[in-house]
Amino acid sequence: MRKPIIAGNWKMNKTAAECRELVTALVPKVKDAKCDVVICVPFTDIALAAELTKGSNIKVGAQNVAWADSGAFTGEISAAMLAEAGAEYVVIGHSERRQYFGETDKTVNARLTQALKYGLKPILCVGEKLEEREGGMTERVCATQVEGAFEGVSAADAEKVVIAYEPVWAIGTGKTATDEQADETIGYIRSVVEKLYGKNTADGMRIQYGGSMNAKNVDGLMAKPQVDGGLIGGASLKADDFAYIVMAAK
Ligand code: PEP
């Protein structure tokens, strides 16, 4: 049995004051959650979010991590800095990073390796663009991204990773993959993990769906056997909406 995991991706939203307001409202609403609960916040909110969630069941994550220990990498944040600030998780390879900031399977692999080295739990994002789905390329794109991300990663380390299947056409668009599309593609991704690491690792790996997941569609998606939770963007920015999704994940 895989424990579901619901993670909020705040993207570039919430100042420290807004973070305080949201987290304070969220803590009591999700205290009886049956799933793991994570909020992936902007770098500047990590220490505050960690402080505000102390003693609660909410874990804090970052949205990216540098591939080097330290040094001349202006604008980057190291894994040690994230861990010290209180992050336990880190989103890696989000499609917005791939699309706007030149992230490639190689840099995703380097960041993932670095996160694992410092004990951070990666949430690895993979998924196809609309034209790739329409061109029948979904499986090939997801396989290439998964294989690239896990290059050189041991089975023991791979087991610490959560994968988020996020069809790019569904992110922030209000268009959700159907329950069947999500289930089928996640099942395929699990088969790729099985080829890399064997059945036990694949069966144990948590693979979320992400892309306009909300209070209306969470029940259908979560009812699918392959869907182990969600990575939630827009709907994670309001305490009631995010709490509803969290409480629906059993
Ligand atoms: C995301 O940012 O990973 C995401 C899935 O966003 P949204 O829920 O807004 O589509």
Side-chain angles (χ1 to χ4, degrees):
M1 277 293 278
R2 297 180 294 266
K3 189 176 186 190
I5 174 167
I6 299 288
N9 173 18
W10 290 7
K11 313 195 189 202
M12 196 176 70
N13 293 293
K14 305 292 177 189
T15 62
E18 292 164 340
C19 167
R20 180 179 294 280
E21 195 181 329
L22 175 52
V23 175
T24 305
L26 194 58
V27 167
K29 289 183 197 292
V30 300
K31 70 178 180 11
D32 298 320
K34 300 283 182 292
C35 62
D36 285 342
V37 186
V38 184
I39 49 172
C40 297
V41 306
F43 294 128
T44 47
D45 289 340
I46 291 172
L48 175 62
E51 177 67 35
L52 294 169
T53 54
K54 212 178 264 171
S56 83
N57 56 337
I58 302 176
K59 308 289 186 205
V60 175
Q63 299 171 18
N64 198 8
V65 61
W67 57 68
D69 288 337
S70 62
F73 297 97
T74 302
E76 290 284 303
I77 309 288
S78 77
M81 293 168 184
L82 295 181
E84 192 182 85
E88 281 185 43
Y89 287 81
V90 57
V91 174
I92 296 176
H94 192 279
S95 67
E96 287 151 18
R97 301 287 325 162
R98 296 179 192 257
Q99 191 179 347
Y100 305 128
F101 301 100
E103 209 74 69
T104 65
D105 290 338
K106 230 180 157 48
T107 59
V108 167
N109 172 249
R111 294 185 197 277
L112 184 107
T113 304
Q114 186 72 2
L116 289 165
K117 180 175 157 190
Y118 280 84
L120 295 168
K121 298 175 189 133
I123 298 176
L124 165 69
C125 301
V126 302
E128 80 288 357
K129 299 188 188 118
L130 183 58
E131 61 270 26
E132 291 166 338
R133 177 159 281 270
E134 289 174 346
M137 305 271 289
T138 299
E139 292 191 350
R140 194 182 310 167
V141 169
C142 291
T144 303
Q145 291 179 352
V146 169
E147 287 160 6
F150 283 104
E151 179 92 46
V153 175
S154 69
D157 271 347
E159 284 166 14
K160 298 168 192 153
V161 177
V162 173
I163 297 180
Y165 165 57
E166 298 212 302
V168 178
W169 47 272
I171 298 177
T173 58
K175 266 190 229 160
T176 319
T178 63
D179 304 342
E180 290 70 29
Q181 283 172 327
D183 195 52
E184 193 180 299
T185 310
I186 290 176
Y188 174 74
I189 290 169
R190 201 176 302 286
S191 77
V192 175
V193 174
E194 183 172 341
K195 263 188 221 133
L196 294 174
Y197 295 109
K199 188 162 163 45
N200 278 355
T201 302
D203 284 348
M205 184 165 283
R206 294 187 293 179
I207 309 183
Q208 305 170 304
Y209 167 77
S212 300
M213 199 163 169
N214 57 39
K216 291 202 180 84
N217 56 36
V218 61
D219 289 328
L221 287 160
M222 286 306 302
K224 289 292 178 193
Q226 294 289 344
V227 179
D228 300 325
L231 183 57
I232 321 294
S236 71
L237 299 176
K238 290 199 181 125
D240 283 340
D241 293 357
F242 188 61
Y244 185 96
I245 296 168
V246 166
M247 298 314 287
K250 300 184 181 92

